[in-house]
Amino acid sequence: MEVFLGVDIGTASTKGVAVAADGRVLARTQVAHRTSSPRPGWFEHDAESVWWADFREVIAVLTADTRLRPAGLAVSGIGPCLLPADVDGRPLRPAILYGIDTRATEEITLLTERWGEAEIARRGSLLTTQAIGPKISWLARHEQEVFAATRKVFMASSFLVHRLTGEYVLDHHSASQVSPLYDQRSRAWDVGWWDELAPRIQRPALAWANEVAGRVTPEAARQTGLPAGLPVTTGTIDAWAEAESVAVRNPGDVMLMYGSTMFLIAMADRPLSSTSLWPAVGVRPGVSCLAGGMATAGSATAWLADLTGTGFAQLTAEAAAVAPGSEGLLMLPYLAGERTPIFDPRARGVVAGLTLGHRRAHLYRAALEGIAYGVRHNLIAMGKAGIDPKRVTPVGGGTTGDLWTQIVSDVTGLVQTLPRETVGASYGDAMLAAEAVGAATAAQTALWNPPTRRIEPDATQAARYDALFEDYLELYTSTAPLVHRLADRVSDESTMTPNQGR
């Protein structure tokens, strides 16, 4: 039977699926890995020992059943990130990851002053820790030998495509996050700014995520066991592949990704502007979108589970027995700074209202509620930019069980519709692979993963959560000056052992 393979490189693991032309998942696997953090605020992946090694391990499992014949392959991965490589595509250092890596804050300021906020915004997103341009500038300023040797730059998906096919190509969506070097109006590289910032680095060719980028070379076939000549799509960033997996493609469609971070994507039929979110080009021609991302979500709940030595199932059951509002606890979940909509890498977690009567269940529920307030904050920013949410689809590991998703619906007042499959980005990759080789149309893949259950907001909690949301906003503004001083002091003086991440 012909199958379409999808492989996604995530922050904490790599997942893969083999999917039939009717959308049935015939094989799946997952490989855990760790994200290194050599210094506070730095997050990296080694492309060889994480991306390529994981890919080969996943493919070995997916192709073990010889009755399943690969007909197409698509890959996705964390992004935007920066992997500098030499002219042959060999990595020169570990990849610098997406917005959770905050090392380039000074470069953000310098480049914004250099080119002007208005001109940068006219091309796409303002410069934040999510942007690749400042990370390239950081490399030029702080690792000059590496920068001098760099001739190609990759994200997780484009690195795998290059390793498999020899093609140096990036999809338009990923390129739109190489701010400010891609112009979202013309959907092309800004050659002048690229040559000024990265004069010796080749610009990747541009293509759409559902187009074939190349075919598996004999050498890649030898290393992976894939058939030589197998079509490989251009690939894209994981969150957008996950949006594809649940057919979040039409104006007003919104995806909430409950993962290590919380990520939001809202679709639009025209380019939108925002200074508190990330405007981007869609995965498909003619589609635009706005994205938001919280720096911690599942990573914050995992931190609490580790801290208390308690499993998720028990913590969830205990937190479900705590009344909404966590009996007076309010938490800012900014344990790794915060991305949208406040763009504050020096933000930190705050728990307000602690008493001797509070237990781990209260803290856990307060964390879930704090993340839900962050979701509401992002949705308000999307509304101001012109998004009217018509369909909200939750995805990711955090959708398991009902507590977290119910809290988010209660806090936001929005219905969420759970899909049948929650495999994630790798499933969206398989959809894109099937479309790229002509085995299915976009209309057909949209039916692969129908909705199965609705999460309705509890109207009796609306007033309580409205008030707590206002308290959440005030807690940030009132504590930010002190928190920033503390963050600066730790940055200057800390000897803390770096967290190795999940």
Side-chain angles (χ1 to χ4, degrees):
M1 177 184 291
E2 283 193 342
V3 294
F4 301 93
L5 305 178
V7 178
D8 174 63
I9 308 291
T11 303
S13 66
T14 298
K15 298 178 183 177
V17 292
V19 181
D22 60 4
R24 286 177 297 137
V25 178
L26 302 179
R28 68 183 76 196
T29 189
Q30 180 172 345
V31 177
H33 56 242
R34 295 181 70 82
T35 298
S36 65
S37 181
R39 291 180 57 181
W42 293 23
F43 293 91
E44 302 180 346
H45 272 176
D46 182 82
E48 297 288 356
S49 64
V50 177
W51 296 352
W52 183 238
D54 277 15
F55 177 83
R56 293 173 63 185
E57 187 173 347
V58 164
I59 288 297
V61 174
L62 297 180
T63 59
D65 186 342
T66 57
R67 295 172 298 177
L68 304 182
R69 301 186 307 277
L73 165 68
V75 295
S76 60
I78 50 175
C81 51
L82 174 66
L83 175 67
D86 66 14
V87 69
D88 296 317
R90 291 187 295 260
L92 296 171
R93 72 170 324 280
I96 301 171
L97 299 193
Y98 53 101
I100 60 173
D101 188 289
T102 59
R103 74 185 70 191
T105 52
E106 185 177 352
E107 286 72 23
I108 290 168
T109 301
L110 292 172
L111 291 181
T112 300
E113 291 173 350
R114 178 176 175 180
W115 284 322
E117 190 172 273
E119 273 303 302
I120 291 169
R122 210 161 59 85
R123 288 162 168 80
S125 295
L126 295 180
L127 299 187
T128 70
T129 62
Q130 191 83 344
I132 293 299
K135 297 181 195 292
I136 294 174
S137 182
W138 181 92
L139 195 70
R141 297 180 70 212
H142 297 280
E143 296 186 1
Q144 295 175 8
E145 290 185 7
V146 171
F147 182 71
T150 300
R151 294 296 178 271
K152 291 182 168 72
V153 287
F154 295 105
M155 295 192 193
S157 59
S158 61
F159 173 75
L160 292 178
V161 169
H162 183 268
R163 184 62 60 91
L164 290 166
T165 70
E167 299 295 332
Y168 181 47
V169 60
L170 190 65
D171 70 291
H172 279 277
H173 167 70
S174 298
S176 71
Q177 298 205 44
V178 186
S179 304
L181 305 184
Y182 176 96
D183 191 330
Q184 293 186 27
R185 302 162 304 169
S186 61
R187 305 204 166 182
W189 294 119
D190 187 305
V191 176
W193 281 11
W194 182 292
D195 289 346
E196 184 178 345
L197 189 65
R200 291 182 299 275
I201 300 175
Q202 301 171 27
R203 295 184 298 275
L206 294 169
W208 295 100
N210 59 350
E211 293 179 329
V212 173
R215 296 178 180 272
V216 172
T217 66
E219 175 58 21
R222 184 188 68 78
Q223 292 191 42
T224 63
L226 290 168
L230 178 71
V232 180
T233 71
T234 310
T236 192
I237 290 174
D238 55 357
W240 276 262
E242 188 139 15
E244 285 292 315
S245 79
V246 291
V248 170
R249 304 171 183 175
N250 301 312
D253 287 353
V254 177
M255 182 191 75
L256 300 183
M257 181 191 286
Y258 293 73
S260 299
T261 67
M262 178 70 76
F263 206 80
L264 306 87
I265 298 175
M267 297 299 172
D269 57 2
R270 66 193 188 284
L272 299 176
S273 297
S274 175
T275 57
S276 57
L277 297 163
W278 299 304
V281 170
V283 167
R284 301 166 183 274
V287 178
S288 296
C289 51
L290 283 177
M294 299 175 63
T296 55
S299 53
T301 60
W303 171 75
L304 276 170
D306 288 345
L307 194 66
T308 61
T310 312
F312 285 111
Q314 184 175 346
L315 279 172
T316 300
E318 292 177 0
V322 175
S326 304
E327 295 189 22
L329 281 193
L330 183 60
M331 181 174 180
L332 300 181
Y334 306 151
L335 276 69
E338 187 55 299
R339 297 189 285 170
T340 64
I342 63 173
F343 290 131
D344 186 357
R346 294 155 68 219
R348 295 293 183 267
V350 175
V351 179
L354 272 172
T355 72
L356 293 174
H358 288 116
R359 297 291 182 264
R360 64 191 182 197
H362 300 92
L363 280 169
Y364 194 74
R365 185 175 184 107
L368 298 180
E369 290 177 339
I371 296 162
Y373 301 138
V375 171
R376 179 169 172 172
H377 201 183
N378 275 279
L379 289 171
I380 289 172
M382 287 182 169
K384 290 178 179 177
I387 295 292
D388 177 19
K390 292 181 173 62
R391 180 172 69 99
V392 180
T393 303
V395 298
T399 61
T400 303
D402 295 329
L403 181 61
W404 196 0
T405 49
Q406 184 64 57
I407 288 173
V408 169
S409 279
D410 291 348
V411 167
T412 62
L414 294 174
V415 174
Q416 296 177 80
T417 308
L418 279 163
R420 180 180 65 193
E421 287 286 352
T422 57
V423 176
S426 58
Y427 191 66
D429 293 331
M431 288 181 174
L432 293 169
E435 291 181 34
V437 301
T441 65
Q444 288 170 329
T445 60
L447 300 176
W448 279 12
N449 196 10
T452 58
R453 188 162 61 87
R454 286 164 60 90
I455 302 166
E456 302 276 354
D458 182 352
T460 66
Q461 302 302 329
R464 179 193 298 268
Y465 278 131
D466 286 349
L468 285 166
F469 176 67
E470 294 302 320
D471 293 341
Y472 170 87
L473 298 178
E474 185 179 347
L475 182 61
Y476 168 68
T477 56
S478 62
T479 60
L482 172 59
V483 164
H484 289 166
R485 289 199 299 273
L486 294 172
D488 292 343
R489 194 171 300 146
V490 169
S491 177
D492 292 340
E493 302 172 3
S494 175
T495 57
M496 184 184 206
T497 302
N499 171 29
Q500 293 303 300
R502 287 182 169 266

